[in-house]
Amino acid sequence: MPTKMADAHTPPVQSKALVFARRSASTLFLWGLVTAIFISHWSWAVLGLIGVLTMIATVEYFQMLRAASVKCFPRFGIGLAAVYSGGLYWHFLRGGESLPLDIDALTVFIAIAVPFALQLRYPIRGIEGLLAVAANLLGFVYVAFLFNFAARVTFLVPGANAVPGYVSNPAAFALLWLLAVTKFTDMGAYIVGSMIGRHKMIPHVSPGKTWEGFGGALLFSQLAACGLYALFPVQLAFFQDWKHVIFLGLLLSILAVIGDLAESVLKRAINAKDSGRMLPGIGGSLDLIDSICFTAPALYFYLEWVLLRPA
């Protein structure tokens, strides 16, 4: 008997091998780019990469909301992310370190007040107006505010004989350590989960996540955290000793998994598969940075409050 023709609008099902190959190629490209920037130590290159990813992810966020017919104010949201990120980078490039707390407070105030003001132009339809304000506030805090802690980490770590316009060696290694631990967590979860994953972790949020994959995430994060510390003890001397490295490796791996699942909550709520198509096998910029949005703030506060705090 003749088989039925596939629906022309149905996307072809990709094999695991093809997905893995595309994901691996995208990962190698990204690590190559990060390595080139790491070797250069140029401040503008580091901030440029963070800024480009921030803005693409912000645009993707509002595109997903609009595609799901969620009321929001994308032009304001994208503009606020650009102004905040640009101001933050200008501060760092001029030799600043920690951004004054009142600047962050002012930006959050603007992120709340302006959407409420914009909503005044429209009639009240249930909770639609509140959701519009909340969606804009979430877009700023979740993407631009949290992800830019990667930049804050870079310019928080002090370095001897720092040259203007260049990131100090310890600061560059701090950023490299953050990215390695976070992305090795993602890799460990994906590789181990794909190979031996059987027991679903949170199927109502992410059907592909397994407890075996979670174990792989914890293992791979420690490989990255301890491996880099063993190879570069001088450059990572601000960690002081192994207990901080092991604890932070564990903390960041758990937060990386939560960050990945947080984006899954967002995408399932608005019925989106990927945030974009920037990277084959991975998705968009938001798919790439979702876990860093949770790990970068944790590392920053641990460094500021525990490791780099004056005696």
Side-chain angles (χ1 to χ4, degrees):
M1 294 178 64
T3 57
K4 294 182 179 180
M5 295 181 63
D7 188 345
H9 298 287
T10 302
V13 178
Q14 299 179 355
S15 67
K16 285 188 176 182
L18 179 60
V19 172
F20 181 78
R22 290 180 173 177
R23 190 182 184 111
S24 299
S26 296
T27 300
L28 289 173
F29 167 75
L30 286 169
W31 276 114
L33 180 61
V34 169
T35 301
I37 293 175
F38 171 77
I39 293 173
S40 76
H41 279 48
W42 290 331
S43 298
W44 65 265
V46 173
L47 295 174
L49 177 61
I50 294 173
V52 168
L53 292 176
T54 298
M55 294 313 302
I56 294 176
T58 300
V59 171
E60 290 173 349
Y61 171 82
F62 285 105
Q63 285 179 339
M64 287 193 297
L65 293 186
R66 294 301 294 268
S69 299
V70 177
K71 178 73 176 298
C72 58
F73 307 104
R75 283 182 292 183
F76 166 72
I78 295 169
L80 180 64
V83 171
Y84 175 78
S85 299
L88 185 68
Y89 306 156
W90 179 79
H91 172 76
F92 288 141
L93 290 173
R94 286 176 57 88
E97 295 178 359
S98 295
L99 194 70
L101 179 61
D102 53 358
I103 300 298
D104 286 338
L106 172 63
T107 310
V108 172
F109 164 70
I110 293 172
I112 296 174
V114 174
F116 266 117
L118 293 174
Q119 181 57 38
L120 296 178
R121 300 179 301 168
Y122 302 96
I124 303 301
R125 298 189 180 95
I127 64 170
E128 181 185 67
L130 291 179
L131 291 178
V133 174
N136 268 81
L137 177 61
L138 176 64
F140 169 71
V141 174
Y142 177 38
V143 183
F145 182 70
L146 292 185
F147 182 59
N148 269 311
F149 271 94
R152 292 173 185 253
V153 166
T154 308
F155 290 88
L156 174 69
V157 178
N161 302 320
V163 179
Y166 289 83
V167 175
S168 70
N169 212 34
F173 272 91
L175 180 61
L176 178 65
W177 190 89
L178 167 68
L179 297 178
V181 172
T182 304
K183 288 305 160 184
F184 266 66
T185 298
D186 294 344
M187 274 197 313
Y190 179 75
I191 293 172
V192 176
S194 299
M195 292 176 60
I196 62 172
R198 296 292 182 273
H199 300 87
K200 299 296 183 182
M201 189 177 176
I202 311 179
H204 59 281
V205 174
S206 182
K209 298 289 189 299
T210 63
W211 285 109
E212 291 84 356
F214 180 65
L218 298 181
L219 174 62
F220 274 57
S221 69
Q222 289 298 328
L223 290 176
C226 296
L228 283 175
Y229 187 63
L231 289 172
F232 305 103
V234 176
Q235 293 85 348
L236 295 171
F238 54 84
F239 281 130
Q240 299 178 12
D241 56 50
W242 284 99
K243 68 175 182 289
H244 293 295
V245 174
I246 294 171
F247 173 75
L248 277 170
L250 176 63
L251 175 64
L252 264 59
S253 63
I254 293 173
L255 288 173
V257 172
I258 295 175
D260 187 40
L261 290 171
E263 198 207 1
S264 295
V265 171
L266 170 65
K267 290 191 293 188
R268 288 185 73 83
I270 58 179
N271 196 29
K273 184 180 185 298
D274 293 317
S275 66
R277 298 180 180 179
M278 184 179 73
L279 296 166
I282 294 178
S285 178
L286 188 55
D287 297 314
L288 178 67
I289 70 172
D290 55 3
S291 50
I292 303 174
C293 289
F294 280 53
T295 58
L299 178 59
Y300 174 86
F301 289 119
Y302 195 90
L303 288 171
E304 185 178 45
W305 293 344
V306 179
L307 296 178
L308 302 179
R309 191 169 192 171

